[in-house]
Amino acid sequence: MSGYGGYNPSAPPGASYGAPSAPPGGAAPPGNAPPGSYGAPAGYGGYNAQPAGYNGQPGGYGPPGGYGGPAYQGAPPQAPPPQQGPNLQQIFTSVDRDQSGQISVNELQSALSNGTWQPFNPETVRLMISMFDKDGNGTINFQEFGALWNYINDWQRTFRFYDRDNSGSIDQNELQTAITSFGYRLSPKFYRLVAAKFDRDGSKRVTFDDFIQICVIIQTLSAAFQRKDTNRNGWIQINYEEFMELVFSTKI
């Protein structure tokens, strides 16, 4: 099916509709990201005491499962053990304010910045915690934190690549370019809707944390849709209850 329609009907089972299996970081060729943290506080997207991945600290792998891979359904993406990068244990300890050995949503949110001198969107933090929380206790340990650290680094590189004007946020056109590059075929009307939903200050722009949330939601819903699209033609027929089950069973 050509044109808009959201997905690549020829995508093989288990792959996200229309999305390549390459990680988000692959969308930004090495060396093409603009330098600096474009007005973001230290730790833009990373721990406030030390920038994450901006000073020559590459993420150790592509976003778990690869953007466009299977939907995150509670089980964390597979990842190698976290790299013992500079001060990673120290960073974890600093974020773990109650010294419990686990980082909560609130602790992680307070340690991240979205490039606008504001804390991360709590819903984005919750999504990321749930993706890496192996035991389902609502927190992440050091091992899980290392994987999450790399994940955020990869998204930083992707976001920077599409933030063409180096403003710390992206507009509707930049958002559409980014999502389209991941393989999704969606209409301008869809992007106007998304941009309006995440326009938190009337600027008609999307910040880094909301960008992550948008991408994770699109990928997860696409995978849920694909499971119903047994003919791989981009169309499904479901009744009201099946629709409600699809919505409530999707982990977003």
Side-chain angles (χ1 to χ4, degrees), residues 56-133:
Q57 299 178 38
Y61 59 94
Y67 180 78
Y72 304 117
Q73 297 295 329
Q78 297 300 311
Q83 300 297 314
Q84 296 291 333
N87 298 321
L88 187 57
Q89 180 65 65
Q90 179 181 348
I91 294 169
F92 178 85
T93 301
S94 299
V95 176
D96 179 21
R97 294 184 175 181
D98 61 4
Q99 301 302 300
S100 65
Q102 301 283 331
I103 293 177
S104 67
V105 170
N106 290 338
E107 288 173 330
L108 183 60
Q109 182 189 15
S110 67
L112 297 174
S113 169
N114 65 4
T116 62
W117 298 91
Q118 298 295 324
F120 250 50
N121 173 1
E123 184 62 20
T124 303
V125 177
R126 183 192 66 78
L127 278 173
M128 293 192 299
I129 288 282
S130 68
M131 288 163 56
F132 292 91
D133 177 17

Side-chain angles (χ1 to χ4, degrees), residues 7-64:
Y7 311 103
N8 177 3
S10 63
S16 173
Y17 277 178
S21 59
N32 283 7
S37 57
Y38 43 86
Y44 165 76
Y47 176 56
N48 284 335
Q50 178 178 344
Y54 277 13
N55 294 323
Q57 299 178 38
Y61 59 94

Side-chain angles (χ1 to χ4, degrees), residues 2-3 12 14 45 55 72 77 81-82 99 117 119-120 124 132 137 141 146 170 178 183 190 203 214 244:
S2 60
N55 294 323
Y72 304 117
Q99 301 302 300
W117 298 91
F120 250 50
T124 303
F132 292 91
N137 65 356
N141 58 29
I170 58 176
F190 171 81
S203 65
I214 290 168
M244 297 299 287

